[in-house]
Amino acid sequence: MNDTAPEIHSQVSEAEWLRRVDLAACYRLVAMFGWDDLIFTHISARVPGPEHHFLINPYGLMFSEITASSLIKVDLHGNKVGDSAYEVNPAGFTIHSAVHAAREDVQCVLHVHSINGVAVSAQAGGVLPLSQHSIFVLSSLAYHDYEGVALDEDEKPRLVRDLGDKRFLMLRNHGLLTVGRSVAEAFVAMYFFEVTCMIQVRAMSGGQPLRHISQHIVDSAQTQWEQVTRGAGGGLAWPALLRKLDRADPGYRT
């Protein structure tokens, strides 16, 4: 599979290749952090340029196997653009195509079935304001009720309606979804989403009364986030994450 890397690199723009490297890194990081679910769930990224083309994982590969050259390019209907020996999961792209079609500002859609995320998605109260991490999630959070495996095109408008202009979407009884203006932004958002859920599960298991953060602090979270990240958002942490990945698992770049 990696033998095709030089060929793919020469056939695409440099902007697309850089997007491929970032997306492959995101898949590997999701695996490294333990949020993957065998070969299931997906991360998609918009291909730079006027065409409505997107990159998504080959169905059947583990996230730890994804490389820049193995990513599949598809159109907005999930049809492959160019040759690939792999297929696309129709359920996976149903969710992603709906978001990409509705949100021109979104460059990356990241969806996981993380253990803590699914656990909180099954709790009636959803995300609670229990931690510093949670205030950033709560400042831009939406919910979508479970309708079964995402195979039905009819679900798309309801999913888009529920997401609205938010960055975090809790798929009830299903998992977590984040969107970003870059792959980096979607990944760092998912880090905060999953850690928020992990903290909540552990706090609720302690058997003690919980202290909730006040709403006025939640309301100021986005302003605080911009100050903490110096306006760079998730991009501030991305170079460090790539260095971490390069030390442990540099094969994603091929």
Side-chain angles (χ1 to χ4, degrees), residues 24-110:
C26 190
Y27 275 103
R28 299 277 184 122
L29 285 165
V30 166
M32 180 181 288
F33 279 80
W35 308 334
D36 52 341
D37 183 17
L38 298 179
I39 63 168
F40 306 103
T41 80
H42 310 274
I43 314 165
S44 62
R46 191 182 299 271
V47 175
E51 304 87 1
H52 291 286
H53 292 164
F54 308 88
L55 299 169
I56 199 164
N57 53 315
Y59 197 35
L61 294 187
M62 302 286 281
F63 282 20
S64 58
E65 297 178 299
I66 301 297
T67 64
S69 58
S70 69
L71 291 162
I72 301 176
K73 189 189 302 187
V74 299
D75 64 20
L76 197 53
H77 303 289
N79 302 309
K80 288 191 290 186
V81 177
D83 295 329
S84 174
Y86 296 94
E87 297 301 323
V88 176
N89 180 7
F93 202 66
T94 296
I95 291 173
H96 291 250
S97 62
V99 176
H100 282 299
R103 294 278 300 270
E104 286 291 331
D105 60 312
V106 168
Q107 298 297 314
C108 181
V109 179
L110 201 171

Side-chain angles (χ1 to χ4, degrees), residues 78 106 124 171 185:
V106 168
L171 300 163
E185 189 169 79

Side-chain angles (χ1 to χ4, degrees), residues 196-214:
T196 290
C197 292
M198 181 186 298
I199 292 170
Q200 180 166 321
V201 168
R202 294 188 182 187
M204 294 180 73
S205 69
Q208 297 295 314
L210 301 176
R211 293 176 58 88
H212 285 207
I213 295 171
S214 63

Side-chain angles (χ1 to χ4, degrees), residues 72-243:
I72 301 176
K73 189 189 302 187
V74 299
D75 64 20
L76 197 53
H77 303 289
N79 302 309
K80 288 191 290 186
V81 177
D83 295 329
S84 174
Y86 296 94
E87 297 301 323
V88 176
N89 180 7
F93 202 66
T94 296
I95 291 173
H96 291 250
S97 62
V99 176
H100 282 299
R103 294 278 300 270
E104 286 291 331
D105 60 312
V106 168
Q107 298 297 314
C108 181
V109 179
L110 201 171
H111 169 45
V112 298
H113 300 158
S114 61
I115 302 300
N116 298 291
V118 175
V120 173
S121 78
Q123 295 175 354
V127 176
L128 302 176
L130 301 178
S131 65
Q132 179 168 279
H133 290 78
S134 73
I135 68 172
F136 302 118
V137 174
L138 287 164
S139 68
S140 189
L141 174 64
Y143 295 88
H144 177 66
D145 287 340
Y146 187 61
E147 298 188 23
V149 177
L151 293 169
D152 191 353
E153 290 282 320
D154 182 58
E155 184 178 359
K156 284 184 175 183
R158 292 185 292 278
L159 188 146
V160 167
R161 177 201 64 204
D162 291 341
L163 174 63
D165 62 353
K166 305 299 186 183
R167 294 192 311 277
F168 301 88
L169 180 66
M170 178 160 276
L171 300 163
R172 291 289 197 176
N173 309 97
H174 182 177
L176 308 179
L177 184 144
T178 59
V179 301
R181 294 166 295 182
S182 65
V183 174
E185 189 169 79
F187 178 84
V188 173
M190 185 58 73
Y191 171 83
F192 274 82
F193 209 174
E194 168 60 15
V195 169
T196 290
C197 292
M198 181 186 298
I199 292 170
Q200 180 166 321
V201 168
R202 294 188 182 187
M204 294 180 73
S205 69
Q208 297 295 314
L210 301 176
R211 293 176 58 88
H212 285 207
I213 295 171
S214 63
Q215 185 60 44
H216 80 88
I217 294 177
V218 174
D219 292 341
S220 66
Q222 188 55 43
T223 299
Q224 294 180 57
W225 175 251
E226 293 298 325
Q227 292 173 337
V228 167
T229 63
R230 302 173 184 173
L236 185 65
W238 191 243
L241 285 163
L242 293 185
R243 292 194 299 271

Side-chain angles (χ1 to χ4, degrees), residues 10-26:
S10 67
Q11 292 176 353
V12 303
S13 69
E14 192 60 22
E16 178 178 330
W17 183 253
L18 292 174
R19 183 64 52 84
R20 284 174 171 270
V21 170
D22 273 350
L23 184 57
C26 190

